[in-house]
Amino acid sequence: MSQPPQGSGWGNQNGWDQNPFAGGSQQGGQGQGGQPSGQQPNYGQGQGQPPYGSQGAQPGPGGTQAYPTQQQPSQGYPSQGGQGPLGGPGGAAPQGPTAKTGMSAGLKKGLIIGTAAVVLVGGGVGAFIAADPLGFRSADTAVAKMVPDDATAYVHLDMAPSPAQQAELIRFALKFPSFRENPSVREGGDLREAYFDSWMDEHPGCSNVTFDADIKPWLGDNFAAFWRPAETDPTLIVSAKDKEEAEAAVSKLNACGAVTANSTAYRDGHLIVSPAAGGAERTSGDALTASLADKAEFKEDFAKLGATGLASVWSSGQGVEDLIAQSGAAPSTPTGNNTLRSLAGTIRFSGGNPEAVVVTKSTEPLPVAAITNVGDLPGDTSLAIGIGGGKSMVGPIVDNLDAAGMDPETFAASTGLQLPGDLETLLGDDFILSADRLDEQSLSDPSRAPIGLSIKTDASKLKVLVDRFGNSGLPLVQRDSNGISYLAMNPDYASKLQNPGSRLKDSPGFQAAVAEPGKAQMVAYWDMTAYADLLSAEADPEDRADLAVLQSVGLSSFNDGGDYTRVVARMTAR
């Protein structure tokens, strides 16, 4: 049996490719909250949707769950030229801020080795898991006390996650052949060292800095980064057991270009590293006066979020706006329409799989939202997106179009849809886009493609739109029953939607990937097993074997009380 690892372990849990010691202006969103793919921050909030996006990302378990990488959602704006699939506009909206998601080979190897190194953590794990099956913790406040209360965004990494969380992480990692086949998987080690070594692979000029001599003696268990108003580069906080040793290491890393440290300060076992001259001292002093840990919004958001896992994030609404501005992307709503007060999120493992959970607080009361019935789709559905109460979103959509410079007349000329009535009919009380397994053969002939819509709406009004689409060269079959209209170019698929032989809600993959679908106002689901061949077509043999393990991806969003919206993103593996 392997020996338990020495020291604590940690990895790139929040989706950053930036080393925790390094400076730079990257926000660590991706790892937090997940916000799986979706739409760009829409500061208007409605129908229980994420306040900074319509239906989208971020951010797990459920038998097989996961969290999204942290790309920000992007919301599409119709262009004023060209046609989309319904005779409407083509083009996409500007992209929101995106955390760097690329992973170097060295970093990947380091994370694999280091993650697996904690597979055996000693006899105490069993007792700990028995007392706390998930190993979740409340939000860390010791590090947040080092952060001034005017911080607009904050990311925290637990570099010594609980034994239960480490075990969950390992269960997930060992499902992948590249982890199992690596001999060092079962050897004791320090996850922090594996990450550090991978980081140094990208900084060959820092060969004089070693983990054992320069980092390990002082490195503690926590890392955080935060942004203050008008700051583009984050200030870093690292738990440090020894002030002089920590400062000496940072000085060496600064000299070889691996980190930007123009000032440092040490307080209460933490080293503050700032890219600004005098910034670390100001941070320390300001946090003593008023800290983020004592900020009412911060405490309320994490109380609503519940227990945290490997990483956590918090941001104010202004912080999200600042990130968008720094990215160069245009806001999705006019200035002043931001109804996002703040958000909190975490990445954690459960059932051997990861999930990202984000809660967002609106400054305005959330309306009672309709539920989407994605679970009623056929059991072999491979792709699905459902939006409950979509017609109530038409008002904000029209406002966004106007802000983007497109009036209703221009929109009608581009799409054939009259605003707001036609769009309300099309989105209805429940709008679901779905598909069976797609391949080159089915997509080569649109009339055979198993793609369709299930819409709870006024069937007679929808028939008028369907006829209009048909006259424009988009023939659709419409089947109506029990207040639901089913549309598809493939008549067989329309019939299958109307009378499914089995239900998606009974599928193990759907159950594992989608959190609380019965009360969700938005659901997205992807059965990755249906696209295994496509995903692995261009992959090298090692990655091909790993991709074959992936099962499904799910995301759901629902009202969580107190003007909060909860978003849960999961990925499952077999």
Side-chain angles (χ1 to χ4, degrees):
M1 177 177 292
S2 303
Q3 295 300 314
Q6 302 301 313
S8 57
W10 69 292
N12 190 2
Q13 303 299 349
N14 73 334
W16 289 11
D17 196 10
Q18 179 181 351
N19 188 276
F21 300 101
S25 59
Q26 291 172 331
Q27 283 279 23
Q30 282 329 135
Q32 285 316 339
Q35 313 213 8
S37 64
Q39 297 181 342
Q40 173 161 350
N42 174 357
Y43 298 107
Q45 196 170 2
Q47 293 303 330
Q49 309 306 333
Y52 52 52
S54 298
Q55 314 308 330
Q58 266 199 3
T64 36
Q65 306 160 5
Y67 51 90
T69 50
Q70 265 323 309
Q71 290 196 343
Q72 292 284 7
S74 68
Q75 182 167 4
Y77 292 101
S79 63
Q80 298 192 26
Q83 287 195 332
L86 299 181
Q95 199 79 354
T98 304
K100 185 177 179 182
T101 56
M103 183 177 291
S104 67
L107 178 54
K108 177 181 176 183
K109 178 180 178 182
L111 289 176
I112 289 174
I113 294 173
T115 298
V118 296
V119 67
L120 297 174
V121 291
V125 176
F128 188 94
I129 293 177
D132 183 1
L134 299 180
F136 295 156
R137 300 174 175 174
S138 58
D140 180 271
T141 57
V143 181
K145 284 186 175 296
M146 308 296 297
V147 180
D149 72 344
D150 66 349
T152 57
Y154 167 79
V155 178
H156 171 252
L157 299 181
D158 186 347
M159 299 192 290
S162 71
Q165 283 288 285
Q166 291 184 28
E168 293 283 9
L169 186 153
I170 290 301
R171 291 190 189 111
F172 183 77
L174 291 180
K175 293 177 181 179
F176 297 87
S178 62
F179 280 66
R180 295 196 304 268
E181 295 168 3
N182 191 322
S184 61
V185 163
R186 307 197 190 286
E187 297 176 1
D190 191 333
L191 183 56
R192 301 171 304 170
E193 179 178 10
Y195 189 87
F196 177 82
D197 289 344
S198 299
W199 176 41
M200 288 298 96
D201 288 342
E202 301 176 1
H203 296 280
C206 295
S207 58
N208 64 323
V209 184
T210 66
F211 182 81
D212 285 338
D214 299 295
I215 306 298
K216 185 176 181 179
W218 60 267
L219 183 60
D221 296 336
N222 292 283
F223 163 77
F226 67 90
W227 288 256
R228 301 184 76 176
E231 289 185 350
T232 57
D233 295 327
T235 298
L236 309 180
I237 300 175
V238 183
S239 297
K241 303 170 187 175
D242 185 275
K243 174 181 182 293
E244 287 71 22
E245 290 180 335
E247 289 180 337
V250 169
S251 179
K252 293 177 70 173
L253 292 168
N254 185 61
C256 66
V259 65
T260 302
N262 288 317
S263 63
T264 62
Y266 187 84
R267 180 167 67 85
D268 297 338
H270 297 86
L271 184 70
I272 303 170
V273 181
S274 173
E281 294 84 354
R282 287 194 299 273
T283 288
S284 180
D286 292 347
L288 278 172
T289 302
S291 74
L292 184 63
D294 298 320
K295 190 181 183 76
E297 292 88 343
F298 181 87
K299 293 192 290 186
E300 183 186 21
D301 291 345
F302 274 102
K304 172 61 72 172
L305 178 67
T308 59
L310 302 169
S312 58
V313 62
W314 181 87
S315 179
S316 65
Q318 184 60 53
V320 175
E321 284 192 343
D322 290 346
L323 290 176
I324 295 175
Q326 292 171 22
S327 74
S332 60
T333 57
T335 301
N337 283 4
N338 184 357
T339 60
L340 170 63
R341 186 200 74 176
S342 53
L343 64 84
T346 187
I347 298 172
R348 60 196 188 190
F349 277 78
S350 177
N353 296 275
E355 73 174 357
V357 183
V358 176
V359 295
T360 59
K361 172 77 170 182
S362 174
T363 58
E364 297 180 358
L366 294 178
V368 177
I371 306 302
T372 182
N373 293 302
V374 170
D376 289 338
L377 290 169
D380 57 353
T381 297
S382 67
L383 290 169
I385 298 176
I387 304 172
K391 68 180 182 182
S392 67
M393 299 167 58
V394 172
I397 289 174
V398 172
D399 291 341
N400 288 341
L401 291 173
D402 183 64
M406 177 172 283
D407 56 39
E409 291 74 20
T410 304
F411 182 81
S414 310
T415 66
L417 296 174
Q418 299 291 329
L419 294 177
D422 287 351
L423 193 55
E424 290 176 344
T425 297
L426 187 61
L427 294 178
D429 294 312
D430 189 10
F431 177 92
I432 302 173
L433 170 66
S434 63
D436 275 359
R437 184 181 184 278
L438 300 173
D439 53 32
E440 292 184 6
Q441 183 177 3
S442 63
L443 291 176
S444 62
D445 181 359
S447 66
R448 299 174 56 190
I451 303 173
L453 297 172
S454 305
I455 309 173
K456 185 178 182 180
T457 190
D458 187 313
S460 60
K461 291 181 179 179
L462 183 62
K463 184 64 168 60
V464 174
L465 294 182
V466 168
D467 291 342
R468 195 183 306 165
F469 292 148
N471 294 334
S472 300
L474 184 65
L476 293 171
V477 174
Q478 178 174 341
R479 310 258 195 246
D480 303 316
S481 64
N482 299 320
I484 309 294
S485 295
Y486 306 93
L487 308 181
M489 295 183 69
N490 183 334
D492 292 339
Y493 188 64
S495 297
K496 182 177 181 177
L497 289 173
Q498 185 179 20
N499 298 295
S502 60
R503 300 287 184 178
L504 186 60
K505 61 187 175 185
D506 298 321
S507 162
F510 180 82
Q511 292 174 348
V514 179
E516 303 194 60
K519 70 175 187 178
Q521 288 89 49
M522 188 280 294
V523 167
Y525 172 71
W526 178 24
D527 178 3
M528 301 182 74
T529 64
Y531 299 92
D533 294 342
L534 179 63
L535 290 171
S536 62
E538 302 299 327
D540 60 43
E542 178 182 302
D543 290 340
R544 190 175 300 129
D546 286 341
L547 288 170
V549 175
L550 298 177
Q551 181 185 36
S552 55
V553 175
L555 186 143
S556 59
S557 171
F558 45 90
N559 287 358
D560 204 28
D563 297 327
Y564 274 97
T565 296
R566 181 174 295 263
V567 183
V568 182
R570 296 173 173 174
M571 177 183 289
T572 73
R574 295 174 288 179

